[in-house]
Amino acid sequence: MALLQLSDPVTKIKGIGEKSAESFYAAGIYTVNGLLHYFPRNYTSLPEATPIREITKEGKRTVYGKIMNTPAMFSSRGKTILSFFVSDGTGRLKVNLFNMPYMRKQIQPGRECYFSGACSFKGTDVLMSQPKFLSKEQYEAECGALSPVYPLRKELSNTKLQKALKEVLPLAGDISEYLPPEVLAGEGLLSIPEAIRLMHFPKTMEDVYAARKRLAFDEFFLFLARMELLKQGPDKIASRYIYPENDARAAADQLITHLPYELTGAQKRTITEIQKDLSSGYCMNRLVQGDVGSGKTVVAFAAALAVVNAGAQAALMAPTEVLAAQHYKDICKMSEDYGLPFRPALLTGSVKASEKKRIKEGIANGEINFMIGTQALIQEDVETQNLALIITDEQHRFGVRQRMELARKGCAPHVLVMSATPIPRTLGLILYGDLDVSLIDELPAKRLPIKNTVVDGSYRTKLYQFILKRVSEGRQAYIICPMVEAGDEECEATEGLANVTDYAEELKQKFPPEVTIDVLHGRMKPAEKNDVMQRFASGETKVLVSTTVVEVGVNVPNATVMMVENAERFGLAQLHQLRGRVGRGEWQSYCMFVSGNEEGEMSKRTQERLKILAETNDGFKIAEEDLKQRGPGDFFGLRQSGLPYFKIADIYTDAEVLKRVKQILTDMIRDNNEHLANLKQALFAKEEMDYIDFHGICL
Ligand code: ADP
Ligand code: MG
């Protein structure tokens, strides 16, 4: 057999056929290299066995005991449940298994073994849900060892992944090192193959931290190095799209005079800054940073109008179809109502082939002058006629490469990036080094500050009554849950975690039928998501039960309540983003953060963390505070949505690494280090680009 290579498709790996490759594709793994870089989200270890009597708190436990009875089998909420008792002489444990009727035969009264799973309290019973059954040998082998938890798709089991990983692990040695030995030694960094190995097969958490440090370092390093290298090109790129400031202003005024509100000072200032850029003769490269609800969209539209008015084309890219569709709808309405010269089109992945063809023709011949879309805008081979301005909305989900691809379609266009991600100043300086930044640091007047509350689950009934009251007044509400379906996350105590599917079902029982409830989550098809958002935006749906898909940029001013279940599961910055979905209209808005721990008190730390949200609506302050509160061990589970989005590194928790990287790189450049030349080659080689996917910042 020919030797396996990093770039080989996963089907070349022993034991993976066409069919089983599907589950790898579903997880975004296509090549051997992709598999090696598909990292665990977290790690668990089998806890040491405890006597049942000593289980006094919720959490993962292992128990050695005897099965007491033949299991009872029944159905509840569409699930088959097997229920039985286990005793170890110190106490009794109730065990529930969901949707595993085939286990019935194995549950023999008198059988003794280890049970390991999430424990909670139901009445007087200690309940263990969905435990693993282990023999003595298995227990001894697994106890204390770490097992990785991958961001699993249903079909791709840990076992399957780990088996494939064992096959390909030696190939990690083929990934070339780009860092000089003295940096590796000086920073205490592992080699790349070692880091990859330890991410997948660690013995201790120390292994994981060391591995992660190396990989985070790489992401930052390659990212910043690319920025530096591009900066070494001509300082400013000449643009053939030059729009005299007066013309640009006159164009924007067509829009502004019609708006039902007065622009804030910050919006006006930003628009002026953009107009200066457009008239400068050089390509604009501007980041507009403004908290959620600060009104960035209209600023972007004003910029697009200046370009379109002069006969050129503009493109607006959004990270999700929902958001793209919303922008498209807004721009269509404005064009019609205000008589603006936009001829927009929406190009997303779910547009039908025939329609796509028509749109592409329109873009090529200039009939369409404002294209709005998602990644499809770049992925599809779209020929533009005279693309003068590219706007990317909400967080830097478009990588450098993607942006370059778009730029290639036009001719060095102006670039405007809009972001609500609050980045502390120190980090911002490193990350945005070469970007011009406009800050929209002012919220529209007449906005009532959002009222916040942080409670535990015992308040839920009251919160529901509150929601019903607001709905009866004509308003709408979001309820956010962390998961799509029960059991989404293996190996964790998922019992107590709210999931949208079940949650919405229960809510339908509790709320009167006229209070329409819809569900939104990331696993739905884009077209379905759009329908749901459309119904919510039109007011047809009153309550939207959703995962964090709504987090980014969605604008439904009539929604005034945001209720977040299991708020402890989210990072502060992310919660702040969620909160930004309300408080967008003239009505008083409310945000209710509910901690998932219903039984005991909310942990003190969670309480403290969430209190910050209740105390301030200032995104920058929250980001800074978040950074202060979180220690280096906090990176799992609490990933900030704050972008730039790196796969492993997190600009908040790894702020220190980021600073080190910046320093090392600066030294290298100052010394005109030969490594920089190697790096340049490596960075622009296709393989390396794939190795680390640059979800970068605009360059
Ligand atoms: P974001 O900055 O989060 O993208 P949007 O652009 O979506 O915010 O604006 C949020 C809401 O505020 C929209 O409904 C928009 O029409 C409205 N809006 C924008 N600017 C103003 C303003 N100066 N005064 C009042 N409302 C505004
Ligand atoms: Mg927005």
Side-chain angles (χ1 to χ4, degrees):
M1 191 185 79
L3 274 171
L4 207 55
Q5 298 194 350
L6 284 171
S7 56
D8 280 339
V10 284
T11 44
K12 277 218 173 171
I13 302 170
K14 209 172 101 197
I16 303 181
E18 281 300 336
K19 185 133 198 325
S20 75
E22 296 285 330
S23 56
F24 286 83
Y25 301 156
I29 305 170
Y30 298 95
T31 61
V32 170
N33 199 33
L35 176 60
L36 285 170
H37 288 88
Y38 185 73
F39 294 124
R41 257 198 326 94
N42 205 345
Y43 300 84
T44 58
S45 60
L46 199 67
E48 247 178 82
T50 29
I52 295 172
R53 189 180 49 209
E54 286 174 21
I55 304 177
T56 52
K57 276 202 227 120
E58 293 186 353
K60 265 199 87 176
R61 296 285 187 285
T62 306
V63 157
Y64 183 79
K66 190 190 273 180
I67 296 175
M68 304 294 290
N69 59 326
T70 319
M73 187 150 101
F74 54 93
S75 294
S76 165
R77 288 202 258 143
K79 291 189 190 99
T80 318
I81 300 178
L82 277 175
S83 189
F84 59 97
F85 286 98
V86 166
S87 164
D88 68 351
T90 74
R92 190 177 81 154
L93 184 72
K94 184 177 179 171
V95 176
N96 278 352
L97 291 178
F98 301 100
N99 290 335
M100 299 174 91
Y102 48 87
M103 286 293 286
R104 201 174 183 175
K105 283 206 197 87
Q106 293 190 39
I107 304 166
Q108 305 274 358
R111 177 178 170 194
E112 286 187 34
C113 69
Y114 287 90
F115 301 88
S116 188
C119 287
S120 57
F121 298 91
K122 283 274 147 77
T124 52
D125 284 322
V126 183
L127 173 70
M128 185 182 276
S129 303
Q130 212 71 348
K132 242 172 138 171
F133 292 46
L134 299 120
S135 67
K136 195 161 185 310
E137 295 71 41
Q138 281 170 322
Y139 169 75
E140 274 160 12
E142 285 190 31
C143 188
L146 285 180
S147 22
V149 182
Y150 289 90
L152 289 184
R153 299 311 209 99
K154 271 223 168 92
E155 317 77 40
L156 191 57
S157 69
N158 252 19
T159 328
K160 197 162 160 185
L161 256 174
Q162 292 234 300
K163 192 163 161 271
L165 275 164
K166 284 210 174 99
E167 282 292 320
V168 303
L169 201 60
L171 278 116
D174 295 354
I175 299 170
S176 50
E177 184 58 72
Y178 67 93
L179 281 175
E182 58 274 21
V183 170
L184 287 180
E187 301 301 309
L189 294 173
L190 299 176
S191 70
I192 297 173
E194 186 63 359
I196 289 178
R197 186 179 71 80
L198 289 181
M199 280 305 274
H200 294 295
F201 303 100
K203 287 229 159 50
T204 63
M205 276 317 270
E206 273 63 45
D207 287 349
V208 177
Y209 296 142
R212 205 186 152 281
K213 181 177 167 191
R214 169 67 216 246
L215 297 167
F217 190 97
D218 281 2
E219 284 189 326
F220 284 146
F221 195 91
L222 296 181
F223 173 79
L224 287 185
R226 256 186 90 71
M227 264 189 22
E228 289 295 338
L229 293 174
L230 288 186
K231 255 200 274 184
Q232 290 181 349
D235 235 14
K236 285 189 178 271
I237 302 167
S239 173
R240 67 175 162 109
Y241 300 111
I242 304 169
Y243 307 106
E245 236 181 302
N246 281 339
D247 294 355
R249 190 172 316 122
D253 282 346
Q254 298 175 58
L255 167 65
I256 294 166
T257 51
H258 285 101
L259 290 174
Y261 48 77
E262 172 86 2
L263 289 182
T264 64
Q267 282 173 315
K268 284 184 196 158
R269 195 177 60 232
T270 304
I271 290 175
T272 307
E273 282 164 355
I274 292 170
Q275 287 164 354
K276 282 211 166 69
D277 290 346
L278 293 177
S279 68
S280 72
Y282 296 102
C283 287
M284 169 166 71
N285 200 11
R286 183 169 292 277
L287 169 75
V288 174
Q289 201 177 41
D291 213 343
V292 281
S294 60
K296 295 183 291 293
T297 317
V298 70
V299 168
F301 286 171
L305 191 52
V307 166
V308 162
N309 214 38
Q313 291 172 309
L316 170 59
M317 293 201 294
T320 64
E321 293 212 0
V322 166
L323 205 53
Q326 179 185 294
H327 286 321
Y328 175 70
K329 224 181 97 223
D330 287 353
I331 209 70
C332 287
K333 188 161 186 326
M334 280 188 184
S335 300
E336 201 170 311
D337 292 357
Y338 309 161
L340 304 177
F342 285 121
R343 296 186 301 274
L346 179 66
L347 189 61
T348 60
S350 58
V351 170
K352 282 202 196 71
S354 56
E355 175 73 358
K356 238 179 223 169
K357 187 158 170 280
R358 200 188 58 76
I359 293 174
K360 281 192 207 168
E361 279 167 16
I363 295 174
N365 65 26
E367 248 162 57
I368 290 164
N369 62 10
F370 195 16
M371 47 213 125
I372 297 173
T374 50
Q375 308 233 3
L377 266 186
I378 10 176
Q379 276 157 1
E380 307 272 338
D381 80 274
V382 181
E383 291 293 328
T384 61
Q385 194 190 46
N386 51 2
L387 181 61
L389 171 66
I390 296 172
I391 305 164
T392 68
D393 184 26
E394 285 302 345
Q395 315 189 341
H396 314 267
R397 294 210 181 167
F398 295 102
V400 172
R401 183 170 26 156
Q402 294 166 317
R403 230 175 272 107
M404 278 178 157
E405 262 168 54
L406 245 189
R408 223 174 288 136
K409 295 185 199 295
C411 181
H414 297 290
V415 172
L416 188 64
V417 181
M418 300 192 292
S419 171
T421 307
I423 291 173
R425 211 184 127 65
T426 41
L427 301 185
L429 278 179
I430 296 176
L431 291 168
Y432 301 143
D434 66 332
L435 275 179
D436 297 317
V437 180
S438 295
L439 265 188
I440 306 192
D441 50 3
E442 195 180 340
L443 288 181
K446 281 198 272 175
R447 280 281 163 77
L448 296 165
I450 298 168
K451 291 196 172 151
N452 301 285
T453 175
V454 180
V455 295
D456 64 39
S458 61
Y459 284 79
R460 197 168 284 116
T461 316
K462 281 196 190 129
L463 301 184
Y464 287 159
Q465 281 163 2
F466 185 85
I467 289 178
L468 287 176
K469 182 100 200 307
R470 300 285 88 74
V471 169
S472 73
E473 291 165 4
R475 305 286 81 75
Q476 290 161 280
Y478 297 97
I479 300 181
I480 307 296
C481 304
M483 291 195 307
V484 180
E485 299 167 6
D488 246 4
E489 300 182 68
E490 264 189 22
C491 314
E492 275 184 31
T494 53
E495 262 289 274
L497 273 187
N499 70 79
V500 286
T501 326
D502 289 353
Y503 198 102
E505 280 315 307
E506 275 180 42
L507 212 56
K508 280 178 191 161
Q509 310 293 320
K510 288 187 182 129
F511 281 11
E514 67 273 18
V515 179
T516 38
I517 298 170
D518 236 335
V519 170
L520 183 72
H521 59 76
R523 291 218 199 133
M524 288 160 67
K525 296 216 173 68
E528 282 178 273
K529 278 195 254 180
N530 278 335
D531 289 347
V532 170
M533 268 331 286
Q534 226 58 66
R535 280 199 296 274
F536 191 64
S538 70
E540 192 185 326
T541 306
K542 300 300 175 199
V543 178
L544 185 62
V545 181
S546 171
T547 56
T548 52
V549 214
V550 295
E551 177 193 329
V552 175
V554 171
N555 187 37
V556 181
N558 192 47
T560 59
V561 183
M562 167 62 66
M563 174 171 169
V564 184
E565 290 280 1
N566 294 102
E568 76 282 356
R569 301 272 301 182
F570 301 98
L572 285 185
Q574 199 177 9
L575 289 172
H576 178 66
Q577 278 276 340
L578 284 170
R579 174 163 65 187
R581 299 306 113 223
V582 296
R584 298 181 147 247
E586 62 203 85
W587 303 280
Q588 176 64 55
S589 284
Y590 306 87
C591 202
M592 318 190 293
F593 302 111
V594 187
S595 150
N597 185 357
E598 276 194 73
E599 312 287 329
E601 267 196 25
M602 240 196 273
S603 85
K604 203 160 168 283
R605 213 173 135 233
T606 304
Q607 190 62 276
E608 287 289 305
R609 260 170 36 83
L610 296 180
K611 239 172 65 196
I612 294 162
L613 288 172
E615 278 163 9
T616 176
N617 277 324
D618 180 340
F620 287 87
K621 224 190 226 159
I622 288 167
E624 215 103 39
E625 195 54 44
D626 204 19
L627 191 59
K628 255 192 251 161
Q629 280 189 11
R630 300 167 72 205
D634 277 348
F635 52 81
F636 292 120
L638 277 179
R639 155 140 230 134
Q640 293 293 339
S641 76
L643 296 169
Y645 186 78
F646 300 95
K647 206 155 138 193
I648 298 249
D650 180 310
I651 55 161
Y652 294 98
T653 44
D654 300 316
E656 287 312 311
V657 180
L658 178 58
K659 286 175 196 162
R660 277 305 295 155
V661 166
K662 175 75 181 170
Q663 187 56 52
I664 290 166
L665 195 61
T666 311
D667 292 349
M668 262 193 197
I669 290 164
R670 187 199 51 218
D671 303 343
N672 205 358
N673 199 306
E674 67 184 278
H675 294 297
L676 211 58
N678 295 340
L679 200 59
K680 197 164 186 163
Q681 252 187 353
L683 282 172
F684 287 95
K686 172 104 176 63
E687 299 76 52
E688 293 295 331
M689 293 288 284
D690 285 342
Y691 160 42
I692 289 195
D693 194 6
F694 291 94
H695 302 269
I697 255 173
C698 170
L699 290 166

